[in-house]
Amino acid sequence: MTFSIQPVDRHTPGYPRFAEVEDWQGLLQCSSRKVFCPRTLWFAGLLGTALLLPTAVHAAPLHSQNPKALQIAEAELTQAMTGGYWAKAATLDKQLLIPGNPQVTVPKIPISFGNSYTGLIDANRTKKVTRELFAAFGVDLLPDHPLSHKGISFTADGWDPNKRVGFELLETPTDTTDVTTQEFERMKREIAADQMTIFVVPHSTFPVMDNDAEPATQAYLQSVLDYLDWLKAQGRL
Amino acid sequence: MQLTLHGTRACNLRCSYCYYQHFPVGRMTQEHALAAASLALDRCPQEPLAVTWFGGEPLLCKELIRTSTPKIRAMAEQRGQAATFKIPTNGHLLDAEFLAFCEVNSVFISLSIDGAEGNNRGRINRRGQAAWAPSLAALRLLAKHATSFATYSVVTPDNVGQLASGIRFLHAEGARLLILALDHDSPWNESHLDQLAGQYQELAEFWSDEMRAGRPFYLSPFDAKIEAHTRPSGSCSAGINQLSVAPDGTLFPCVQFLDHPEFAIGHVQDGLDDALVRSRFGQVHSDHSGSCGGCAIRGRCGRDCACVRFQSTEDIHALSALVCAHERLLMPIADRAAAALFQDRVPHFIQRHYNPAYHPLHAIETLLGLR
C-alpha cells in the first residue's frame, strides 16, 4: 500500500449547503413543477404535507414566572434562531419522560423519507445555559459534581449541595460520567418517590435536523423553565 | 434506529471480497428477532425503526422474514413509531412469490450485483463457479415487478477497469438507485486509483447528462458526497442508534464485527451493555480530529465509520490511508458535477438536494405509477 493520510488544505465545492440558501423557496418553486406532475403537487397540498411550502405553526413563545430566567432563555434561543426550514416545520409537544417530574417539551420534526435526525443540541452550551437558568431561580449549581445516591453514582452536570437540587443531561453512552441504563431506571424510581430532586432528560430527546437547532433549543429551554417554575410553585426553591 | 437482523450467517455464495470468513448455518428464532426489535424501539423511542434483514444470505430465512416483518411493524405502530424494512440479497433465491410479499409489505430490496458479467468475477458460488445467471435473473425480475429497488456493487481492483460500463449496464437493465462500495480490504495501488478516477469521471458525465435530461438516477458516490455537503449528517453511530443482531441474539454495533466476538456488546435477552459500548467505541464516537486536523473535506469524509476503519486497517481507531486517497479523488469529481448542475439550476438536481419534500413526493409519484 503506497497511500498516506494527506489533509486537503483548501477545497471549495462550488454550490451552497442547504442552510446557506437564503431564498430556498424561490430556488425550489422554479423547478418543482418541472420535476413533479401537477397532480402530485395537488395531492401533496391536499394532504397538507406542508413540506413544499411550509406553513406549519411556529413554536409558541417561551414562558416562565421568572422574568430573569425568561430573559436568559430568550437570549439563548435568539442565538439558535436560523430562520431555517425546520424551525418553521417543527411543532412542540409535551411528554412525561420521568414520572414525578413535570412533562418535558419535545420537538416534533417532520423527517423526510430516507433521512433521520442528523444531530443533537450542543451539550456544552446546553449545560451552561441550564446553570444560568437555575441561578436565576437562586440555585447555585456546581458543575460536574460527583453524586452518589442509593447505588446511583454519576457526575451531575449541575448540583447544589445545599438545596440538593440539580440537573443531568443524559448523554449515555458517549459520556462515561453519566448514569448507566440500569442506574437511570433506579433514578426514575427515586424521583417518582420524591427521594431525588433533579431535572434529568436524555440528550437524544432534542434532535437537530440540518444544523437547525431552533426547535430543539426552544423545547429544551421551555422544559427547564417549566421544571424550575414547578419547583418554585411547590416551595422547594 | 438502524436494526440489522442477521437471520442466518449461512450463504449460498463465496464472494472473494466478502468481509465474513465464517458462514455458520444457525438461524435466528422469531423470539430473538422480536426481542431485538423491542430493544431497539425502547432504546430510541423518538425515532423510526429501520430494520435490515441481513445475512449471510437473508433469503435463506424467508419464513422468518415473512412471519416476523408484520409483527415488528405492528410492535412499532403500537408505540407510535414507524418501521421500514430492507433486504440486501444476492437474489439467487428471489422469486416472484417472495417479491410479491415484499411489495405487499413494503420491504425494500437491495440486490448485490457488481455490474455486467465481467464485473462479477468475484461473485462465485461454493463450488468456485461463476454466479452470474441467477443474479441477472433477479435483476430482471426486480426491474419488471418491483416498485423500487437498489443495486449494491462492490468495486475491487479486479473490476475497477469496467466500473463505468458495469454501471451503465445496470442502468440499462432498469436500476435507478445504484450503490457502490469500495472493497477496502483488497490490495489497491496508485494505478488502480488512477483507473477509478477515470471511471468516476465517465460516470459523472453520464449521471449529469441523465439529470439534465430529466431522467435522474441515484448513484451513491456522487449523490452521497453531495448530500454530505448540502445536508451534513452525523458521524459513526455504531452501538448508539445502530445495532446488529447475530442469529444467536448476540448484539454487535455494526455488521462488520460478527466474526469478532470481542466486539459483542450484549444479547437480546439481557439488553445492551452501555459500559461495553463506551469502552469499545467511545473513542470512535468522539474522535473527530486526529491526524486530519484542518482537512478541508474532513466533514464529508468516510473516515469516521468504524466499519470502514476496521475493514481497511483491522483497527476501529486507525485512519485508513486508502479511504483518505479515495476521498481526495472522488470529492473534486462529485463537486465539479454538482456545481455545474447548481449553476444551471437543473430542476432535478435542485429538487433532490435542496427540497426536504423531495423523497415523499417522489415516493408518491412512484406509488401512483407516474415514474
Side-chain angles (χ1 to χ4, degrees), chain A residues 4 6 8 11 15-18 28 31-32 37 39-40 44 52 95 112-113 173 181 210, chain B residues 46 229-232 274 278 295-296 300 324 328 335 351 354-357 359 361 365 370-371:
Chain A
S4 60
Q6 294 176 26
V8 176
H11 177 76
Y15 55 104
R17 291 171 187 267
F18 175 78
L28 295 181
S31 55
S32 59
C37 88
R39 269 200 294 167
T40 307
L52 199 63
Q95 279 187 7
S112 55
F113 178 78
T181 306
D210 292 333
Chain B
Q46 313 284 331
H229 173 62
T230 58
R231 298 159 184 270
D274 283 329
R278 288 173 188 162
C295 178
R300 304 162 65 191
C324 179
R328 282 185 276 118
D335 282 350
Q351 289 290 319
Y354 294 94
N355 185 358
H359 293 294
L361 292 177
E365 293 209 331
L370 300 173
R371 287 188 177 272

mmCIF file of all heavy atoms in Angstrom, chain A residues 4 6 8 11 15-18 28 31-32 37 39-40 44 52 95 112-113 173 181 210, chain B residues 46 229-232 274 278 295-296 300 324 328 335 351 354-357 359 361 365 370-371:
data_model
loop_
_atom_site.group_PDB
_atom_site.id
_atom_site.type_symbol
_atom_site.label_atom_id
_atom_site.label_comp_id
_atom_site.label_asym_id
_atom_site.label_seq_id
_atom_site.Cartn_x
_atom_site.Cartn_y
_atom_site.Cartn_z
ATOM 1 N N SER A 4 -1.047 7.494 1.799
ATOM 2 C CA SER A 4 -0.814 8.094 3.108
ATOM 3 C C SER A 4 -1.943 9.079 3.405
ATOM 4 O O SER A 4 -2.657 9.504 2.505
ATOM 5 C CB SER A 4 0.538 8.829 3.134
ATOM 6 O OG SER A 4 0.532 9.856 2.158
ATOM 7 N N GLN A 6 -3.283 12.489 3.845
ATOM 8 C CA GLN A 6 -2.856 13.826 3.390
ATOM 9 C C GLN A 6 -4.026 14.799 3.513
ATOM 10 O O GLN A 6 -4.885 14.831 2.627
ATOM 11 C CB GLN A 6 -2.394 13.775 1.938
ATOM 12 C CG GLN A 6 -1.136 12.961 1.707
ATOM 13 C CD GLN A 6 -0.800 12.866 0.227
ATOM 14 O OE1 GLN A 6 -1.150 13.724 -0.575
ATOM 15 N NE2 GLN A 6 -0.127 11.791 -0.138
ATOM 16 N N VAL A 8 -6.415 17.832 3.084
ATOM 17 C CA VAL A 8 -6.596 18.772 1.967
ATOM 18 C C VAL A 8 -6.618 20.187 2.527
ATOM 19 O O VAL A 8 -7.414 20.492 3.413
ATOM 20 C CB VAL A 8 -7.924 18.470 1.231
ATOM 21 C CG1 VAL A 8 -8.191 19.484 0.127
ATOM 22 C CG2 VAL A 8 -7.903 17.050 0.669
ATOM 23 N N HIS A 11 -10.579 23.461 -0.274
ATOM 24 C CA HIS A 11 -11.500 22.829 -1.219
ATOM 25 C C HIS A 11 -12.791 23.628 -1.218
ATOM 26 O O HIS A 11 -13.388 23.846 -0.165
ATOM 27 C CB HIS A 11 -11.799 21.383 -0.833
ATOM 28 C CG HIS A 11 -12.797 20.730 -1.743
ATOM 29 N ND1 HIS A 11 -12.477 20.294 -3.006
ATOM 30 C CD2 HIS A 11 -14.123 20.471 -1.600
ATOM 31 C CE1 HIS A 11 -13.545 19.785 -3.587
ATOM 32 N NE2 HIS A 11 -14.567 19.876 -2.749
ATOM 33 N N TYR A 15 -21.082 25.005 -4.674
ATOM 34 C CA TYR A 15 -22.543 25.064 -4.539
ATOM 35 C C TYR A 15 -22.831 25.116 -3.038
ATOM 36 O O TYR A 15 -22.042 24.645 -2.237
ATOM 37 C CB TYR A 15 -23.222 23.870 -5.220
ATOM 38 C CG TYR A 15 -22.740 22.519 -4.751
ATOM 39 C CD1 TYR A 15 -23.503 21.742 -3.884
ATOM 40 C CD2 TYR A 15 -21.501 22.015 -5.135
ATOM 41 C CE1 TYR A 15 -23.056 20.511 -3.442
ATOM 42 C CE2 TYR A 15 -21.031 20.795 -4.691
ATOM 43 C CZ TYR A 15 -21.816 20.044 -3.841
ATOM 44 O OH TYR A 15 -21.350 18.854 -3.400
ATOM 45 N N PRO A 16 -23.978 25.721 -2.667
ATOM 46 C CA PRO A 16 -24.194 26.005 -1.239
ATOM 47 C C PRO A 16 -24.719 24.807 -0.445
ATOM 48 O O PRO A 16 -25.276 23.871 -1.012
ATOM 49 C CB PRO A 16 -25.257 27.107 -1.272
ATOM 50 C CG PRO A 16 -26.032 26.826 -2.515
ATOM 51 C CD PRO A 16 -25.057 26.256 -3.508
ATOM 52 N N ARG A 17 -24.530 24.898 0.859
ATOM 53 C CA ARG A 17 -25.220 23.989 1.759
ATOM 54 C C ARG A 17 -26.690 24.390 1.799
ATOM 55 O O ARG A 17 -27.027 25.538 1.519
ATOM 56 C CB ARG A 17 -24.667 24.106 3.192
ATOM 57 C CG ARG A 17 -23.282 23.586 3.368
ATOM 58 C CD ARG A 17 -22.794 23.973 4.764
ATOM 59 N NE ARG A 17 -21.402 23.628 4.939
ATOM 60 C CZ ARG A 17 -20.985 22.484 5.459
ATOM 61 N NH1 ARG A 17 -21.858 21.605 5.880
ATOM 62 N NH2 ARG A 17 -19.700 22.227 5.583
ATOM 63 N N PHE A 18 -27.542 23.471 2.212
ATOM 64 C CA PHE A 18 -28.969 23.759 2.336
ATOM 65 C C PHE A 18 -29.185 24.965 3.252
ATOM 66 O O PHE A 18 -29.960 25.877 2.941
ATOM 67 C CB PHE A 18 -29.689 22.535 2.915
ATOM 68 C CG PHE A 18 -31.142 22.744 3.207
ATOM 69 C CD1 PHE A 18 -32.071 22.719 2.177
ATOM 70 C CD2 PHE A 18 -31.589 22.965 4.498
ATOM 71 C CE1 PHE A 18 -33.421 22.909 2.435
ATOM 72 C CE2 PHE A 18 -32.928 23.159 4.763
ATOM 73 C CZ PHE A 18 -33.845 23.126 3.737
ATOM 74 N N LEU A 28 -36.693 26.550 -5.047
ATOM 75 C CA LEU A 28 -37.462 25.339 -5.316
ATOM 76 C C LEU A 28 -38.655 25.584 -6.237
ATOM 77 O O LEU A 28 -38.970 24.757 -7.086
ATOM 78 C CB LEU A 28 -37.968 24.730 -4.008
ATOM 79 C CG LEU A 28 -36.915 24.221 -3.047
ATOM 80 C CD1 LEU A 28 -37.566 23.629 -1.817
ATOM 81 C CD2 LEU A 28 -36.029 23.185 -3.723
ATOM 82 N N SER A 31 -38.454 25.103 -9.919
ATOM 83 C CA SER A 31 -38.197 23.790 -10.500
ATOM 84 C C SER A 31 -39.216 22.728 -10.100
ATOM 85 O O SER A 31 -39.262 21.667 -10.718
ATOM 86 C CB SER A 31 -36.798 23.304 -10.088
ATOM 87 O OG SER A 31 -36.673 23.309 -8.692
ATOM 88 N N SER A 32 -40.046 22.987 -9.085
ATOM 89 C CA SER A 32 -40.915 21.912 -8.591
ATOM 90 C C SER A 32 -41.887 21.430 -9.661
ATOM 91 O O SER A 32 -42.141 20.234 -9.786
ATOM 92 C CB SER A 32 -41.668 22.361 -7.338
ATOM 93 O OG SER A 32 -42.442 23.502 -7.613
ATOM 94 N N CYS A 37 -45.340 16.159 -11.261
ATOM 95 C CA CYS A 37 -46.505 16.472 -12.081
ATOM 96 C C CYS A 37 -47.527 17.236 -11.234
ATOM 97 O O CYS A 37 -47.557 17.091 -10.008
ATOM 98 C CB CYS A 37 -47.089 15.210 -12.703
ATOM 99 S SG CYS A 37 -48.290 14.370 -11.722
ATOM 100 N N ARG A 39 -50.541 16.842 -10.601
ATOM 101 C CA ARG A 39 -51.401 16.008 -9.757
ATOM 102 C C ARG A 39 -50.707 15.684 -8.429
ATOM 103 O O ARG A 39 -51.320 15.629 -7.378
ATOM 104 C CB ARG A 39 -51.739 14.712 -10.480
ATOM 105 C CG ARG A 39 -53.016 14.808 -11.309
ATOM 106 C CD ARG A 39 -53.578 13.437 -11.588
ATOM 107 N NE ARG A 39 -52.693 12.643 -12.442
ATOM 108 C CZ ARG A 39 -52.826 11.349 -12.631
ATOM 109 N NH1 ARG A 39 -53.786 10.684 -12.029
ATOM 110 N NH2 ARG A 39 -51.998 10.693 -13.415
ATOM 111 N N THR A 40 -49.401 15.424 -8.508
ATOM 112 C CA THR A 40 -48.660 15.096 -7.289
ATOM 113 C C THR A 40 -48.630 16.289 -6.345
ATOM 114 O O THR A 40 -48.845 16.153 -5.139
ATOM 115 C CB THR A 40 -47.212 14.695 -7.637
ATOM 116 O OG1 THR A 40 -47.234 13.680 -8.612
ATOM 117 C CG2 THR A 40 -46.476 14.218 -6.403
ATOM 118 N N ALA A 44 -50.181 16.383 -2.740
ATOM 119 C CA ALA A 44 -49.374 16.713 -1.560
ATOM 120 C C ALA A 44 -49.990 17.876 -0.798
ATOM 121 O O ALA A 44 -50.065 17.870 0.434
ATOM 122 C CB ALA A 44 -47.943 17.059 -1.974
ATOM 123 N N LEU A 52 -43.573 21.355 1.000
ATOM 124 C CA LEU A 52 -43.093 22.117 -0.140
ATOM 125 C C LEU A 52 -43.179 23.613 0.130
ATOM 126 O O LEU A 52 -42.293 24.378 -0.194
ATOM 127 C CB LEU A 52 -43.910 21.756 -1.379
ATOM 128 C CG LEU A 52 -43.260 22.109 -2.700
ATOM 129 C CD1 LEU A 52 -41.973 21.336 -2.858
ATOM 130 C CD2 LEU A 52 -44.183 21.811 -3.849
ATOM 131 N N GLN A 95 -44.313 15.609 26.780
ATOM 132 C CA GLN A 95 -44.228 14.184 27.087
ATOM 133 C C GLN A 95 -43.798 14.002 28.532
ATOM 134 O O GLN A 95 -42.955 14.758 29.038
ATOM 135 C CB GLN A 95 -43.199 13.491 26.194
ATOM 136 C CG GLN A 95 -43.712 13.150 24.815
ATOM 137 C CD GLN A 95 -42.720 12.320 24.027
ATOM 138 O OE1 GLN A 95 -41.697 11.886 24.550
ATOM 139 N NE2 GLN A 95 -43.021 12.118 22.764
ATOM 140 N N SER A 112 -38.086 13.659 6.408
ATOM 141 C CA SER A 112 -38.404 13.180 5.071
ATOM 142 C C SER A 112 -37.885 11.762 4.908
ATOM 143 O O SER A 112 -36.950 11.348 5.578
ATOM 144 C CB SER A 112 -37.788 14.108 4.021
ATOM 145 O OG SER A 112 -36.418 14.239 4.239
ATOM 146 N N PHE A 113 -38.498 11.028 4.009
ATOM 147 C CA PHE A 113 -38.143 9.628 3.802
ATOM 148 C C PHE A 113 -36.653 9.493 3.492
ATOM 149 O O PHE A 113 -36.113 10.215 2.683
ATOM 150 C CB PHE A 113 -38.949 9.059 2.641
ATOM 151 C CG PHE A 113 -38.605 7.639 2.332
ATOM 152 C CD1 PHE A 113 -39.098 6.620 3.105
ATOM 153 C CD2 PHE A 113 -37.751 7.338 1.292
ATOM 154 C CE1 PHE A 113 -38.773 5.315 2.836
ATOM 155 C CE2 PHE A 113 -37.413 6.026 1.007
ATOM 156 C CZ PHE A 113 -37.943 5.017 1.794
ATOM 157 N N PRO A 173 -24.501 6.619 25.507
ATOM 158 C CA PRO A 173 -23.312 6.101 26.154
ATOM 159 C C PRO A 173 -22.054 6.930 25.889
ATOM 160 O O PRO A 173 -20.967 6.490 26.247
ATOM 161 C CB PRO A 173 -23.167 4.729 25.497
ATOM 162 C CG PRO A 173 -23.629 4.955 24.103
ATOM 163 C CD PRO A 173 -24.714 5.994 24.195
ATOM 164 N N THR A 181 -27.779 2.706 32.054
ATOM 165 C CA THR A 181 -29.209 2.469 31.820
ATOM 166 C C THR A 181 -29.882 1.935 33.077
ATOM 167 O O THR A 181 -30.988 2.336 33.437
ATOM 168 C CB THR A 181 -29.369 1.459 30.665
ATOM 169 O OG1 THR A 181 -28.637 1.942 29.542
ATOM 170 C CG2 THR A 181 -30.818 1.283 30.282
ATOM 171 N N ASP A 210 -30.381 19.133 10.010
ATOM 172 C CA ASP A 210 -29.712 20.074 9.100
ATOM 173 C C ASP A 210 -29.177 21.312 9.813
ATOM 174 O O ASP A 210 -29.306 22.443 9.323
ATOM 175 C CB ASP A 210 -30.665 20.517 7.983
ATOM 176 C CG ASP A 210 -30.980 19.378 7.040
ATOM 177 O OD1 ASP A 210 -30.142 18.486 6.914
ATOM 178 O OD2 ASP A 210 -32.069 19.393 6.438
ATOM 179 N N GLN B 46 -38.042 7.941 20.137
ATOM 180 C CA GLN B 46 -38.445 9.100 19.328
ATOM 181 C C GLN B 46 -38.240 8.849 17.833
ATOM 182 O O GLN B 46 -38.645 9.678 17.021
ATOM 183 C CB GLN B 46 -37.602 10.330 19.707
ATOM 184 C CG GLN B 46 -37.465 10.583 21.178
ATOM 185 C CD GLN B 46 -38.716 11.184 21.774
ATOM 186 O OE1 GLN B 46 -39.444 11.874 21.093
ATOM 187 N NE2 GLN B 46 -38.977 10.910 23.032
ATOM 188 N N HIS B 229 -22.488 17.441 1.767
ATOM 189 C CA HIS B 229 -22.211 18.888 1.767
ATOM 190 C C HIS B 229 -23.490 19.692 1.992
ATOM 191 O O HIS B 229 -23.533 20.562 2.854
ATOM 192 C CB HIS B 229 -21.573 19.305 0.449
ATOM 193 C CG HIS B 229 -21.421 20.796 0.312
ATOM 194 N ND1 HIS B 229 -20.648 21.549 1.169
ATOM 195 C CD2 HIS B 229 -21.980 21.673 -0.566
ATOM 196 C CE1 HIS B 229 -20.726 22.824 0.823
ATOM 197 N NE2 HIS B 229 -21.528 22.925 -0.217
ATOM 198 N N THR B 230 -24.545 19.384 1.221
ATOM 199 C CA THR B 230 -25.766 20.197 1.338
ATOM 200 C C THR B 230 -26.464 19.953 2.665
ATOM 201 O O THR B 230 -27.044 20.861 3.238
ATOM 202 C CB THR B 230 -26.743 19.910 0.177
ATOM 203 O OG1 THR B 230 -27.065 18.521 0.177
ATOM 204 C CG2 THR B 230 -26.135 20.294 -1.148
ATOM 205 N N ARG B 231 -26.432 18.737 3.155
ATOM 206 C CA ARG B 231 -27.091 18.401 4.424
ATOM 207 C C ARG B 231 -26.159 17.539 5.252
ATOM 208 O O ARG B 231 -26.293 16.314 5.277
ATOM 209 C CB ARG B 231 -28.376 17.619 4.168
ATOM 210 C CG ARG B 231 -29.395 18.379 3.383
ATOM 211 C CD ARG B 231 -30.369 17.390 2.756
ATOM 212 N NE ARG B 231 -31.303 18.098 1.922
ATOM 213 C CZ ARG B 231 -32.460 18.583 2.367
ATOM 214 N NH1 ARG B 231 -32.806 18.417 3.601
ATOM 215 N NH2 ARG B 231 -33.249 19.244 1.560
ATOM 216 N N PRO B 232 -25.220 18.159 5.952
ATOM 217 C CA PRO B 232 -24.238 17.379 6.713
ATOM 218 C C PRO B 232 -24.941 16.485 7.732
ATOM 219 O O PRO B 232 -25.916 16.891 8.352
ATOM 220 C CB PRO B 232 -23.408 18.447 7.425
ATOM 221 C CG PRO B 232 -23.735 19.730 6.762
ATOM 222 C CD PRO B 232 -25.082 19.598 6.148
ATOM 223 N N ASP B 274 -24.085 -0.823 28.030
ATOM 224 C CA ASP B 274 -23.571 0.507 27.705
ATOM 225 C C ASP B 274 -22.093 0.653 28.054
ATOM 226 O O ASP B 274 -21.348 1.357 27.373
ATOM 227 C CB ASP B 274 -24.379 1.582 28.440
ATOM 228 C CG ASP B 274 -25.725 1.820 27.784
ATOM 229 O OD1 ASP B 274 -25.805 1.662 26.557
ATOM 230 O OD2 ASP B 274 -26.679 2.137 28.499
ATOM 231 N N ARG B 278 -19.192 1.952 25.551
ATOM 232 C CA ARG B 278 -18.260 3.042 25.879
ATOM 233 C C ARG B 278 -16.808 2.590 25.716
ATOM 234 O O ARG B 278 -15.999 3.265 25.108
ATOM 235 C CB ARG B 278 -18.452 3.475 27.330
ATOM 236 C CG ARG B 278 -19.705 4.233 27.605
ATOM 237 C CD ARG B 278 -19.818 4.418 29.099
ATOM 238 N NE ARG B 278 -21.087 4.984 29.463
ATOM 239 C CZ ARG B 278 -21.582 4.924 30.686
ATOM 240 N NH1 ARG B 278 -20.918 4.337 31.655
ATOM 241 N NH2 ARG B 278 -22.741 5.483 30.958
ATOM 242 N N CYS B 295 -8.172 19.478 7.655
ATOM 243 C CA CYS B 295 -8.505 18.997 6.311
ATOM 244 C C CYS B 295 -9.830 19.612 5.863
ATOM 245 O O CYS B 295 -10.829 19.561 6.573
ATOM 246 C CB CYS B 295 -8.601 17.473 6.282
ATOM 247 S SG CYS B 295 -9.063 16.844 4.655
ATOM 248 N N ALA B 296 -9.825 20.166 4.658
ATOM 249 C CA ALA B 296 -10.994 20.905 4.174
ATOM 250 C C ALA B 296 -12.175 19.999 3.850
ATOM 251 O O ALA B 296 -13.301 20.479 3.745
ATOM 252 C CB ALA B 296 -10.607 21.722 2.938
ATOM 253 N N ARG B 300 -16.960 15.613 5.316
ATOM 254 C CA ARG B 300 -17.703 14.791 4.357
ATOM 255 C C ARG B 300 -17.006 13.461 4.107
ATOM 256 O O ARG B 300 -17.407 12.702 3.225
ATOM 257 C CB ARG B 300 -17.841 15.544 3.031
ATOM 258 C CG ARG B 300 -18.494 16.892 3.184
ATOM 259 C CD ARG B 300 -18.219 17.767 1.968
ATOM 260 N NE ARG B 300 -18.828 17.231 0.755
ATOM 261 C CZ ARG B 300 -18.560 17.685 -0.453
ATOM 262 N NH1 ARG B 300 -17.670 18.658 -0.616
ATOM 263 N NH2 ARG B 300 -19.143 17.176 -1.505
ATOM 264 N N CYS B 324 -8.640 7.871 2.722
ATOM 265 C CA CYS B 324 -8.197 9.255 2.502
ATOM 266 C C CYS B 324 -7.927 9.497 1.013
ATOM 267 O O CYS B 324 -8.404 10.472 0.427
ATOM 268 C CB CYS B 324 -6.947 9.528 3.343
ATOM 269 S SG CYS B 324 -6.288 11.193 3.130
ATOM 270 N N ARG B 328 -10.059 12.018 -1.495
ATOM 271 C CA ARG B 328 -9.401 13.116 -2.229
ATOM 272 C C ARG B 328 -9.623 12.978 -3.734
ATOM 273 O O ARG B 328 -9.659 13.972 -4.462
ATOM 274 C CB ARG B 328 -7.905 13.124 -1.912
ATOM 275 C CG ARG B 328 -7.594 13.752 -0.547
ATOM 276 C CD ARG B 328 -6.114 13.865 -0.292
ATOM 277 N NE ARG B 328 -5.570 12.626 0.246
ATOM 278 C CZ ARG B 328 -4.653 11.875 -0.341
ATOM 279 N NH1 ARG B 328 -4.167 12.238 -1.514
ATOM 280 N NH2 ARG B 328 -4.211 10.776 0.240
ATOM 281 N N ASP B 335 -17.998 17.195 -6.860
ATOM 282 C CA ASP B 335 -18.327 18.612 -6.685
ATOM 283 C C ASP B 335 -18.316 19.384 -7.996
ATOM 284 O O ASP B 335 -19.097 20.318 -8.176
ATOM 285 C CB ASP B 335 -17.367 19.249 -5.672
ATOM 286 C CG ASP B 335 -17.746 18.890 -4.246
ATOM 287 O OD1 ASP B 335 -18.835 18.317 -4.051
ATOM 288 O OD2 ASP B 335 -16.960 19.177 -3.321
ATOM 289 N N GLN B 351 -34.135 20.008 -6.844
ATOM 290 C CA GLN B 351 -35.163 19.365 -6.025
ATOM 291 C C GLN B 351 -34.570 18.269 -5.142
ATOM 292 O O GLN B 351 -34.885 18.176 -3.965
ATOM 293 C CB GLN B 351 -36.247 18.777 -6.940
ATOM 294 C CG GLN B 351 -37.113 19.829 -7.596
ATOM 295 C CD GLN B 351 -38.038 20.528 -6.599
ATOM 296 O OE1 GLN B 351 -38.605 19.899 -5.722
ATOM 297 N NE2 GLN B 351 -38.169 21.836 -6.731
ATOM 298 N N TYR B 354 -32.096 20.050 -2.443
ATOM 299 C CA TYR B 354 -32.494 21.219 -1.645
ATOM 300 C C TYR B 354 -33.949 21.190 -1.217
ATOM 301 O O TYR B 354 -34.375 22.076 -0.489
ATOM 302 C CB TYR B 354 -32.198 22.511 -2.417
ATOM 303 C CG TYR B 354 -30.720 22.730 -2.618
ATOM 304 C CD1 TYR B 354 -30.089 22.312 -3.784
ATOM 305 C CD2 TYR B 354 -29.939 23.307 -1.613
ATOM 306 C CE1 TYR B 354 -28.720 22.474 -3.953
ATOM 307 C CE2 TYR B 354 -28.575 23.483 -1.784
ATOM 308 C CZ TYR B 354 -27.972 23.061 -2.952
ATOM 309 O OH TYR B 354 -26.627 23.222 -3.113
ATOM 310 N N ASN B 355 -34.722 20.218 -1.670
ATOM 311 C CA ASN B 355 -36.130 20.161 -1.259
ATOM 312 C C ASN B 355 -36.320 19.050 -0.236
ATOM 313 O O ASN B 355 -36.223 17.867 -0.575
ATOM 314 C CB ASN B 355 -37.025 19.901 -2.475
ATOM 315 C CG ASN B 355 -38.508 19.956 -2.103
ATOM 316 O OD1 ASN B 355 -38.848 20.150 -0.931
ATOM 317 N ND2 ASN B 355 -39.369 19.795 -3.079
ATOM 318 N N PRO B 356 -36.625 19.397 1.019
ATOM 319 C CA PRO B 356 -36.833 18.356 2.036
ATOM 320 C C PRO B 356 -38.008 17.442 1.703
ATOM 321 O O PRO B 356 -38.106 16.352 2.237
ATOM 322 C CB PRO B 356 -37.123 19.160 3.311
ATOM 323 C CG PRO B 356 -36.652 20.538 3.042
ATOM 324 C CD PRO B 356 -36.781 20.754 1.560
ATOM 325 N N ALA B 357 -38.914 17.910 0.831
ATOM 326 C CA ALA B 357 -40.081 17.093 0.485
ATOM 327 C C ALA B 357 -39.816 16.223 -0.739
ATOM 328 O O ALA B 357 -40.716 15.526 -1.198
ATOM 329 C CB ALA B 357 -41.284 17.994 0.223
ATOM 330 N N HIS B 359 -38.166 13.418 -1.324
ATOM 331 C CA HIS B 359 -38.350 11.965 -1.199
ATOM 332 C C HIS B 359 -39.810 11.562 -1.017
ATOM 333 O O HIS B 359 -40.282 10.636 -1.692
ATOM 334 C CB HIS B 359 -37.458 11.414 -0.092
ATOM 335 C CG HIS B 359 -36.007 11.502 -0.429
ATOM 336 N ND1 HIS B 359 -35.437 10.776 -1.454
ATOM 337 C CD2 HIS B 359 -35.013 12.243 0.097
ATOM 338 C CE1 HIS B 359 -34.147 11.069 -1.543
ATOM 339 N NE2 HIS B 359 -33.859 11.958 -0.616
ATOM 340 N N LEU B 361 -42.480 13.211 -2.035
ATOM 341 C CA LEU B 361 -43.178 13.473 -3.298
ATOM 342 C C LEU B 361 -42.775 12.451 -4.358
ATOM 343 O O LEU B 361 -43.604 11.966 -5.125
ATOM 344 C CB LEU B 361 -42.869 14.900 -3.782
ATOM 345 C CG LEU B 361 -43.458 16.028 -2.923
ATOM 346 C CD1 LEU B 361 -43.014 17.392 -3.459
ATOM 347 C CD2 LEU B 361 -44.975 15.961 -2.890
ATOM 348 N N GLU B 365 -45.210 9.737 -6.318
ATOM 349 C CA GLU B 365 -45.272 9.547 -7.769
ATOM 350 C C GLU B 365 -44.945 8.108 -8.151
ATOM 351 O O GLU B 365 -45.540 7.556 -9.076
ATOM 352 C CB GLU B 365 -44.321 10.521 -8.468
ATOM 353 C CG GLU B 365 -44.757 11.959 -8.309
ATOM 354 C CD GLU B 365 -44.336 12.857 -9.455
ATOM 355 O OE1 GLU B 365 -43.296 12.560 -10.070
ATOM 356 O OE2 GLU B 365 -45.055 13.843 -9.717
ATOM 357 N N LEU B 370 -46.459 7.198 -11.644
ATOM 358 C CA LEU B 370 -46.195 8.347 -12.514
ATOM 359 C C LEU B 370 -44.728 8.424 -12.907
ATOM 360 O O LEU B 370 -44.330 9.342 -13.618
ATOM 361 C CB LEU B 370 -46.618 9.644 -11.807
ATOM 362 C CG LEU B 370 -48.102 9.725 -11.435
ATOM 363 C CD1 LEU B 370 -48.398 10.946 -10.584
ATOM 364 C CD2 LEU B 370 -48.950 9.757 -12.699
ATOM 365 N N ARG B 371 -43.915 7.485 -12.420
ATOM 366 C CA ARG B 371 -42.498 7.491 -12.773
ATOM 367 C C ARG B 371 -42.103 6.191 -13.438
ATOM 368 O O ARG B 371 -42.600 5.169 -13.109
ATOM 369 C CB ARG B 371 -41.643 7.693 -11.517
ATOM 370 C CG ARG B 371 -41.725 9.086 -11.023
ATOM 371 C CD ARG B 371 -40.750 9.390 -9.908
ATOM 372 N NE ARG B 371 -40.867 10.784 -9.556
ATOM 373 C CZ ARG B 371 -40.192 11.776 -10.139
ATOM 374 N NH1 ARG B 371 -39.303 11.500 -11.066
ATOM 375 N NH2 ARG B 371 -40.382 13.022 -9.794
#
